[in-house]
Amino acid sequence: MGNVREAETSELLGLIRRGEATTRPELQDRLQLSRVTLGKRLDALLRSGLVDEAGQDASTGGRPRTVFRIRPGCGTLLAVDIGSARTRLAVTDFAGTILVRDDRLLDLSGGPGAVLPWVRRRLQAMVKQIGATGSVLGAGVCVPGAVDPLSGRLVHPALMPGWHGVDIAAELTGDFDGVPVAVGSDVQVTALGEYRMRWSSSDDIVLVKAGEGIAAAAVINGVVRTGATGAAGEIGHMRIPEGRQCRCGRFGCLESVAGGWALRERLSAAGWTVDSSEELSGLALRGDSLSIELLELSARLVGRALAPVVAVLNPSAVVVAGALADGGAVFLDPLRAALDAVGPQEATRPLVIASAQLGADAGVVGAALLAQDLLTAPAHLDMLLSRVTSRRPAPDSFVKLFT
């Protein structure tokens, strides 16, 4: 496939994957390709089995038009969400629907050797469990820290000693026949999953992840912004007047008083034994007054830190993910109040504040979509089509394109 064809086909796939254009007239209008050229591109995708027909759209008076979609069963994707406390794994179909999942509390301070061997073993076992050996097309991984957008290597992750410069993609690709592996920041990948699956009707959103750590990500015109060095949205390590000694080694970070680990330290000093941010939110929901007080404090500080972000970007929604957001209104209401108090009314009055809808699966779903993005980029498209075509059963009927 030549460079022009790769670029055109990749763009066509992107429109179909995101649901922005799914019929032939819509695709032709967006891509400005001739009828014949578009037919050739679609024909190659249909014959490979990467795309199929998903029925017909509602008639507007003329002939119903065929709707195209990515074929979910064309292969599987591996998804890894390495969290600061819990690591979650999933095997999904090519559309990002989870087929099997697993998770485990893992200490990242032990370095890659304490985490990646378990990840590799469990992914291999999960693939065998669902009979998907040989169907893996790619993998996506997210980590709680900045990832260089060019090299895919971790960049001085504050909460992951021993992980700087680690090439996670190189660690995983050899286990699955050399499939491409995409790596990204957890909050940015979570934003990708939430946006594509639940918020794609909004052009611009900000997602804040409030769990053991605090971070944010911006989706602008449908694109997750990574920043020049992958560190966009690292609000958890901004200095605030209330800040204390942070686990990153600096003093004064937002996270040092608003992060789940800092709140749990306060609970511990009061005699509680709380092992995770999930447990803290659970206590608040059951009416524990100190847990409610701490969640409200965290929410106010996070809302105040988000106010300049909202003022600059003017998003349509702030989506709140992470274990602290499991506290529901206990967390969301004071966050809203803080934004209203500090931010400009023109930006905050119409602003939607909502919990992330994918819950604990947001990271792995986003990681699967990150892998999908990598695989359908021009550089990997030929390999993807070759792998999918080799697995496709012989067609039993001719595919009619021009409907």
Side-chain angles (χ1 to χ4, degrees):
M1 182 180 290
N3 290 338
V4 172
R5 282 183 292 167
E6 288 172 353
E8 290 173 349
T9 305
S10 177
E11 188 177 359
L12 186 158
L13 274 171
L15 293 171
I16 294 174
R17 288 188 301 118
R18 296 188 297 270
E20 296 175 16
T22 56
T23 67
R24 188 174 185 279
E26 291 171 345
L27 291 165
Q28 192 166 2
D29 180 63
R30 290 291 297 272
L31 296 171
Q32 293 298 298
L33 297 176
S34 71
R35 179 183 174 89
V36 172
T37 299
L38 178 62
K40 289 179 179 178
R41 304 293 178 262
L42 280 170
D43 183 49
L45 294 174
L46 288 161
R47 292 184 186 281
S48 74
L50 184 59
V51 168
D52 66 6
E53 297 179 357
Q56 295 180 326
D57 67 353
S59 176
T60 57
R63 295 181 60 188
R65 298 172 298 182
T66 299
V67 174
F68 300 103
R69 64 164 187 172
I70 292 290
R71 188 168 70 89
C74 68
T76 54
L77 301 170
L78 309 178
V80 181
D81 176 8
I82 299 175
S84 56
R86 185 178 298 275
T87 293
R88 292 182 167 88
L89 310 178
V91 181
T92 78
D93 65 18
F94 199 72
T97 300
I98 295 175
L99 305 176
V100 61
R101 57 167 63 81
D102 195 7
D103 66 87
R104 185 172 181 176
L105 288 170
L106 293 173
D107 184 3
L108 303 188
S109 65
V115 177
L116 295 183
W118 177 80
V119 169
R120 294 164 65 181
R121 288 195 305 271
R122 283 304 301 146
L123 286 176
Q124 290 170 337
M126 291 161 68
V127 168
K128 290 179 181 178
Q129 177 185 338
I130 61 172
T133 302
S135 74
V136 176
L137 298 174
V141 182
C142 61
V143 297
V147 175
D148 184 285
L150 297 178
S151 70
R153 294 176 180 268
L154 279 71
V155 182
H156 297 290
L159 311 181
M160 303 173 72
W163 289 77
H164 171 64
V166 171
D167 186 349
I168 294 179
E171 295 281 346
L172 296 181
T173 188
D175 291 333
F176 299 95
D177 196 24
V179 299
V181 179
V183 183
S185 152
D186 62 349
V187 67
Q188 294 167 7
V189 171
T190 296
L192 174 67
E194 276 290 323
Y195 179 79
R196 290 267 181 89
M197 293 298 195
R198 296 291 185 268
W199 295 91
S200 58
S201 60
S202 303
D203 286 336
D204 307 321
I205 69 168
V206 169
L207 181 136
V208 59
K209 188 172 183 181
E212 288 292 280
I214 306 292
V219 183
I220 308 298
N221 292 327
V223 178
V224 179
R225 301 300 176 178
T226 63
T229 63
E234 288 288 338
I235 64 170
H237 298 284
M238 293 169 51
R239 294 187 180 185
I240 62 170
E242 300 87 345
R244 303 182 297 115
Q245 182 70 45
C246 184
R247 59 180 178 172
C248 75
R250 299 178 65 194
F251 188 90
C253 297
L254 168 66
E255 185 180 298
S256 70
V257 285
W261 65 271
L263 304 183
R264 291 191 295 107
E265 284 186 353
R266 296 272 298 273
L267 281 172
S268 178
W272 288 97
T273 300
V274 180
D275 295 326
S276 67
S277 295
E278 290 91 344
E279 289 184 28
L280 191 160
S281 292
L283 283 172
L285 289 172
R286 291 193 293 274
D288 176 67
S289 59
L290 179 56
S291 298
I292 291 172
E293 178 186 333
L294 291 173
L295 273 191
E296 290 177 342
L297 168 66
S298 173
R300 287 195 299 272
L301 293 172
V302 171
R304 195 172 71 190
L306 283 174
V309 178
V310 169
V312 170
L313 299 180
N314 190 200
S316 58
V318 168
V319 182
V320 189
L324 298 185
D326 293 344
V330 177
F331 194 84
L332 295 186
D333 288 352
L335 187 149
R336 161 109 252 176
L339 273 171
D340 287 343
V342 180
Q345 291 185 348
E346 295 81 3
T348 59
R349 188 181 294 115
L351 186 65
V352 174
I353 309 287
S355 296
Q357 298 179 41
L358 294 177
D361 288 333
V364 288
V365 171
L369 296 177
L370 188 69
Q372 189 193 81
D373 284 354
L374 178 67
L375 289 164
T376 55
H380 293 287
L381 195 51
D382 269 345
M383 185 208 68
L384 174 64
L385 292 174
S386 176
R387 286 179 182 262
V388 172
T389 301
S390 68
R391 298 185 58 254
R392 180 170 172 78
D396 47 22
S397 62
F398 178 72
V399 178
K400 187 177 181 181
L401 288 177
F402 302 107
T403 55

